[in-house]
Amino acid sequence: MNTRSLVSAAVLAAALAALAAPVRAGGGHAHEHGVTHLDIVVDGGRVALRLQAAGHHIVGFEHAPESAAQHAAWAAAEAALADASALFQPDAEAACRAVSAAVTPPGGGKAAHGQAHGHQHHGHAHADHADDDGHGHGGDWHADYRFECAAPERLRGIRHALFRAFPGTEEVRWQLLAPTGQDGGVLRAGQDRIAVPRAR
Ligand SMILES: [Zn+2]
């Protein structure tokens, strides 16, 4: 056995459970404009990713959408974030497929379309504003993704398209936990691949 720290099954199970838990206001990473956080857990054939990003670089504002343009930007961001296969490409050799994508807009989705009250007529009538002050953790978007891989032993890396999909992104801060080890770092524009620690 080598002395490099292998991640125990218990730790992986706990990490997966944490990623499976609902996003909570106040949890997760600090709110920073231009910074997208990515937490990744690889466990056997399962790959789970959780994304957290400030509304500032996802839609360009951090309050409930008000104008028609903001509603359109909001819907476009939801659609872009929900497209797991476009945003993340595990190595083709690993034969992974996206099995789920769940997007949680700021405010837990309450601020999205379908809001019962007609805030579009009076921009500041809605109560959500008071909670979030248009800023802080309430301005964060979250998304959870699951992939299943038929040949996980061939998974050496995951490509992402976050800089392309959200051009206001300055950094992707990632951490990854796998049976073969853990790693983390910061990616900047042009760095589109996250390596999975190799078994030895
Ligand atoms: Zn902000």
Side-chain angles (χ1 to χ4, degrees):
M1 288 298 287
N2 65 66
T3 54
R4 188 172 165 216
S5 68
L6 295 185
V7 178
S8 75
V11 169
L12 277 178
L16 274 175
L19 285 196
V23 171
R24 287 194 204 164
H29 302 280
H31 172 89
E32 288 177 78
H33 296 176
V35 177
T36 294
H37 292 275
L38 207 51
D39 295 323
I40 308 166
V41 177
V42 178
D43 184 20
R46 293 178 297 175
V47 178
L49 303 97
R50 171 165 287 179
L51 174 153
Q52 179 192 325
H56 188 267
H57 63 285
I58 297 296
V59 288
F61 56 92
E62 296 189 343
H63 52 74
E66 291 163 5
S67 67
Q70 288 176 346
H71 276 282
W74 191 279
E78 282 190 309
L81 285 171
D83 194 344
S85 302
L87 282 183
F88 303 105
Q89 292 100 35
D91 286 344
E93 295 81 357
C96 304
R97 65 189 180 92
V99 292
S100 71
V103 180
T104 307
K110 290 196 300 292
H113 304 281
Q115 217 167 290
H117 49 272
H119 71 264
Q120 63 269 36
H121 303 300
H122 301 282
H124 289 82
H126 50 101
D128 285 357
H129 247 239
D131 297 341
D132 296 348
D133 194 27
H135 206 253
H137 219 83
D140 282 338
W141 289 69
H142 292 84
D144 287 287
Y145 307 93
R146 298 269 166 166
F147 287 80
E148 284 178 6
C149 306
E153 70 283 359
R154 296 187 181 170
L155 182 64
R156 300 277 182 261
I158 301 169
R159 285 190 188 283
H160 74 88
L162 292 168
F163 293 113
R164 236 177 306 142
F166 304 101
T169 307
E170 293 166 17
E171 291 184 358
V172 174
R173 293 189 197 156
W174 61 278
Q175 48 189 17
L176 183 149
L177 197 58
T180 47
Q182 59 189 103
D183 204 355
V186 178
L187 303 178
R188 296 197 171 80
Q191 299 176 315
D192 66 349
R193 184 178 160 88
I194 291 169
V196 175
R198 302 184 61 148
R200 32 172 187 166

